[in-house]
Amino acid sequence: MRRRKLAVAAGFCLSFFLGSLFNVLFIPAVFEQQQQQQQQQRGGEGSGVTHSLAAAAERLSRSSEGRSDLARQIRERYQEVLRYQEHQAPTARQRLVRPLERRLMDLAPQQRAAAAGSEQPPKAERSKGFSSSPQAKIELSLQQPQLLGCRDIHNVTHVHYLGSGYTKAVYKAVLNRSLAVALKSVDFGGHDIENCVKLYAALGDCYRLASYKIVKEMILLQRLQHDNILQLYGYCYQDSNDIPDTLTTITELGSPLEMIQLLQTSWEDRFRICLSLVRLLHYLAHSPLGSMTLLDFRPRQFVIVDGELKVTDLDDASIEEASCASNSDCYMEFPARNFTLPCSVEGRCQSMNEKRNLYNAYRFFFTYLLPHSAPSSLRPLLDMIVNATGELHWGIDETVAQLERVLHLYKSGLYLLNTTRTPKAEYREVLEAAILEENYRCWPSYHHKGCLLSVFDVSEAIEVCESHSQCQAFVLINQTTWTGERCHWVIAAAIAKNPSYQPEKEVDFLKGLMSILR
């Protein structure tokens, strides 16, 4: 019994001794590991705080630089507006690096090297900080005696949204229950405003930057007076969306230019569109402000008013001439063609604004509208015009002269002198008679329910009638087209053998001074 107690006591002492020995050997290593883990955690937390502070400082610096950059853009846009209003030529430092590109809002902050070389505001203006911005309202002294304004917009009715672009939204409205107009204002949901607010988070200043494009267009509409430039009726500054002095311009209303519909019209109307465009470009090349180019040259920038083409979007127009040191600096790039213009001794690219407009007219209008379904005797001249403008062999002066020549030949009937026509059938004249049966449709036609076309005289009417297999008769009527000297005619597929005189029963466009039966 005593031996057993001694064995238990010895075992207990041995286990205590071994436990103490293991604690002495291993606890320091575990403690050091825990300390290292705690230090690493503390170090990670410290570096995270440091990183957060650095990121916040960088964001603050970036925000400050961004607001300064936005202020610079507002100031430059404001100076541009004043130049157009006061008709001052831009200085070398104010010219764009690449002035012949369409300039949307320059929202990307510029590199420090570029910013260092940019024009600095006056010291007094810099001391005021970002809050000192150009004035929001720019008033115009329009020459119209009855200028429309805010009082008229308050009485607006029948407002319909027409469309929008990068900057503006356009609405159709009726003022004073009598005048249909177009209203233009900054589109708060547009590309320019959205991108600016994302970058700078300053809606008021972003609006001011965008609104100067409308102010510029308003000034140009006032200063450039031409039949093919949309007429400015007035403008209004009023508070909207918590932004003071938001601008709305009131202009002449036109129909959007739809190329697909235009291709379905008569050649005479399509020629009128091209002639209107060339007359406009000739005026812009010799405008009171200097040679002007349309940087955003697309069909959607034009409208139709009473059959005439008019430009409606001028906020991306520019009178700035490209400077050059050699011909290689005068490089114009288009999707299908590139051109290099000569550099003048004055260090300017010769006629670049004019040639850019002319080539855009070729690729958007002339190739589609001029040659197709034209009178056969005019096609060689029209093909020469299209080819010369497509190669930029001509300037705008020669181009407008050739199109005016086409108009003269067409109005006077001289284009018919070199054609020999021998009728295949005999025609007899029936006075004061109308064709009442089975009119057929043709393309193109001035009337969608029949075949109403334009001719110079009876001989041309016979020629066209014989080119249509359905034509059995035609009626000349007492109407003229926009040329002022051409008569209309209508073709019917079949007629009664003994047409009778019914002066008041025929359809309006069938009433004629003379009927010709085949």
Side-chain angles (χ1 to χ4, degrees), residues 104-105 107 165-167 187-197:
L104 300 177
M105 290 171 59
L107 298 178
Y166 281 91
T167 308
D187 185 4
F188 284 90
H191 174 275
D192 284 354
I193 290 290
E194 283 191 350
N195 282 8
C196 180
V197 171

Side-chain angles (χ1 to χ4, degrees), residues 139-209:
E139 301 290 351
L140 297 183
S141 56
L142 300 183
Q143 299 175 356
Q144 290 85 343
Q146 295 181 349
L147 180 65
L148 299 179
C150 297
R151 64 186 182 279
D152 302 288
I153 290 183
H154 294 158
N155 297 326
V156 69
T157 57
H158 299 89
V159 179
H160 299 287
Y161 171 78
L162 293 180
S164 60
Y166 281 91
T167 308
K168 302 186 296 288
V170 184
Y171 298 86
K172 175 183 177 181
V174 176
L175 299 185
N176 303 322
R177 299 185 179 183
S178 58
L179 179 64
V181 298
L183 303 178
K184 292 184 179 182
S185 59
V186 172
D187 185 4
F188 284 90
H191 174 275
D192 284 354
I193 290 290
E194 283 191 350
N195 282 8
C196 180
V197 171
K198 286 179 182 178
L199 284 174
Y200 303 120
L203 178 60
D205 294 313
C206 288
Y207 173 83
R208 194 62 53 214
L209 179 62

